[in-house]
Amino acid sequence: MNFVVVVNEGPYQHQASYTAYRFTRSALEKGHKIMRVFFYHDGVNNGTSLTVPPQDEPQIVKQWCQLAQDRDLDLVVCVAAAQRRGIMDHREAERHELSAPNLAPGFRIAGLGQLIDASIDAERLLVFGD
Amino acid sequence: MGDGKKILFINRRGPYGTIYAQEALEVALVGAVFDQKISLAFIDDGVFLLRPGQSTVGLQMKQFTAAYRALGDFEIHRVYVERESLQVRGMKEENLMEIVTGPDGGTRNLVKVVSSVELMDVIHSQDVLLND
Amino acid sequence: MLHTVNKSPFEKDSLNTCFRLARPGSDVLLIEDAVYAALAGSCFEPAMSEALARYSVFVLKADLEARGIDSGDLISGVRAVDYSGFVDLAVKNDTVQSWL
């Protein structure tokens, strides 16, 4: 079955990103397809490469990156929500003349149309948030 | 009206205290240009979004709720408001913001107040549920 | 239809909203802080017992364990599932609504 997963909260403040990650991994292990993980609201903060959590805590951002790499996951950070919160890829950082990009590897920035598109194409949509 | 999927955007939080409703409206406005059967539902504190007379001058925040009216320019199917949520919050049905559609002759208000039981049927007849 | 709830009923009214708007026969899955709603002996037990007559109620096992709740602490009729069971519930039902 083909899923789209929506993550509406950032790492650490809420459990949502962990639950979404565990659901996504479990669905993949069971042979289902995750056609897109869409990060919205504060969920875009999962896409920062600049997080350095204490060493005894899980690195949820790195876990998403790793999963994206291992399973060819499409991790999409909403551009409008990301710009509000300072998550930029090279192109966006340059366009807005900012000092540096900070989008973590494995993520890409795209518009809200990618969420609507995925919700039309996927068989199931699940929202994880607060 | 498209023959596409039935997508319901559910709003359960009020304005300004958090950005959820404002960003949810941005999704709905994007969704409205896709050829799908789009509806919105206002439940719990979400009904406060349609309360008239909002002014954010003192807050110096964007008064985004006026933009709900823009939904009338698109082919939105319906805007549902749960009666029970209004009642427990002391909100009057006849005093909700109108979202008017239909350019020439015979405009109509998309906002429809429904009971929990009616809303239950709406929720269970959708293909996709998006909520903040 | 699958309804997920992630809020403690002592913090926010999401579970009551779910019970008001979920059609009888639906699956309800309690995740994150919502697992506290399944604790036997709380003031929420009567509402939960009533709900159990209308819905199949599940709780996410990892969330129970993390919060120091074992199966003996649960209102009878509530069933624990793991993440794989969560995926199965999402597959079994045509749509999923998250009451946040």
Side-chain angles (χ1 to χ4, degrees):
Chain A
M1 187 158 279
N2 208 345
F3 288 89
V4 51
V5 169
V6 182
V7 183
N8 284 345
E9 296 298 337
Y12 304 108
Q13 182 81 26
H14 294 280
Q15 202 188 333
S17 182
Y18 286 97
T19 308
Y21 174 79
R22 297 289 284 119
F23 179 91
T24 300
R25 247 186 55 187
S26 183
L28 290 168
E29 282 161 9
K30 291 169 75 77
H32 298 297
K33 196 172 171 243
I34 304 286
M35 68 168 291
R36 186 160 297 146
V37 183
F38 193 86
F39 296 88
Y40 197 48
H41 299 303
D42 272 1
V44 299
N45 290 315
N46 287 287
T48 176
S49 61
L50 299 177
T51 140
V52 188
Q55 284 193 346
D56 63 341
E57 288 179 18
Q59 306 227 356
I60 185 68
V61 170
K62 288 222 170 74
Q63 285 175 286
W64 277 117
C65 297
Q66 190 64 48
L67 196 62
Q69 198 184 322
D70 295 347
R71 308 301 294 252
D72 197 25
L73 265 190
D74 189 22
L75 305 183
V76 176
V77 170
C78 167
V79 62
Q83 285 181 350
R84 285 197 177 102
R85 293 162 178 86
I87 306 292
M88 304 282 156
D89 60 9
H90 277 100
R91 204 173 53 113
E92 291 295 316
E94 248 170 56
R95 196 158 72 89
H96 298 282
E97 296 174 2
L98 297 167
S99 56
N102 61 344
L103 188 71
F107 290 81
R108 67 184 178 96
I109 290 185
L112 281 167
Q114 297 274 298
L115 170 60
I116 306 295
D117 261 339
S119 70
I120 292 166
D121 294 339
E123 291 160 281
R124 298 286 185 277
L125 178 144
L126 280 91
V127 177
F128 296 89
D130 182 47
Chain B
M1 193 60 59
D3 303 319
K5 282 200 169 181
K6 292 172 90 171
I7 304 178
L8 182 68
F9 294 93
I10 297 181
N11 294 278
R12 292 183 46 236
R13 296 186 231 232
Y16 314 118
T18 59
I19 199 172
Y20 294 106
Q22 182 182 338
E23 288 189 328
L25 173 58
E26 289 172 13
V27 184
L29 286 166
V30 170
V33 303
F34 284 67
D35 201 18
Q36 308 295 313
K37 216 171 178 189
I38 303 281
S39 297
L40 282 84
F42 294 83
I43 306 170
D44 293 338
D45 279 0
V47 301
F48 289 134
L49 293 164
L50 298 182
R51 191 180 175 92
Q54 297 174 33
S55 166
T56 56
V57 175
L59 294 183
Q60 298 186 0
M61 289 174 83
K62 180 174 168 177
Q63 205 258 290
F64 71 94
T65 54
Y68 282 112
R69 293 200 184 89
L71 290 166
D73 300 338
F74 299 94
E75 290 203 2
I76 294 283
H77 178 61
R78 215 18 134 180
V79 176
Y80 300 98
V81 182
E82 193 200 19
R83 181 170 294 119
E84 284 77 352
S85 293
L86 290 172
Q87 282 170 348
V88 298
R89 286 164 181 79
M91 291 260 292
K92 291 196 172 61
E93 287 183 28
E94 58 276 15
N95 201 16
L96 290 172
M97 185 193 298
E98 292 194 348
I99 300 173
V100 174
T101 190
D104 12 71
T107 58
R108 69 185 180 105
N109 184 10
L110 287 174
V111 177
K112 187 183 183 194
V113 177
V114 293
S115 70
S116 302
V117 176
E118 290 170 296
L119 189 57
M120 181 188 287
D121 288 339
V122 170
I123 289 171
H124 288 76
S125 66
Q126 302 296 315
D127 298 310
V128 180
L129 297 148
L130 269 163
N131 43 84
D132 50 18
Chain C
M1 186 169 163
L2 173 63
H3 299 261
T4 70
V5 183
N6 77 337
K7 287 289 170 303
S8 162
F10 310 103
E11 179 201 350
K12 196 177 166 181
D13 223 19
S14 298
L15 188 55
N16 280 325
T17 299
C18 169
F19 289 163
R20 192 170 74 241
L21 293 171
R23 188 180 273 167
S26 295
D27 289 332
V28 175
L29 171 65
L30 309 176
I31 65 171
E32 302 174 357
D33 287 347
V35 299
Y36 291 124
L39 270 179
S42 87
C43 66
F44 204 75
E45 181 164 359
M48 187 56 87
S49 299
E50 230 177 85
L52 277 160
R54 297 196 304 277
Y55 311 118
S56 299
V57 180
F58 303 88
V59 280
L60 197 53
K61 212 190 282 177
D63 281 317
L64 289 179
E65 290 167 0
R67 289 164 178 80
I69 302 170
D70 64 42
S71 53
D73 300 326
L74 299 179
I75 294 165
S76 84
V78 174
R79 285 173 270 176
V81 293
D82 55 13
Y83 288 102
S84 169
F86 183 178
V87 174
D88 291 341
L89 283 169
V91 170
K92 178 194 149 199
N93 290 280
D94 288 342
T95 48
V96 184
Q97 160 63 10
S98 311
W99 300 102
L100 304 171

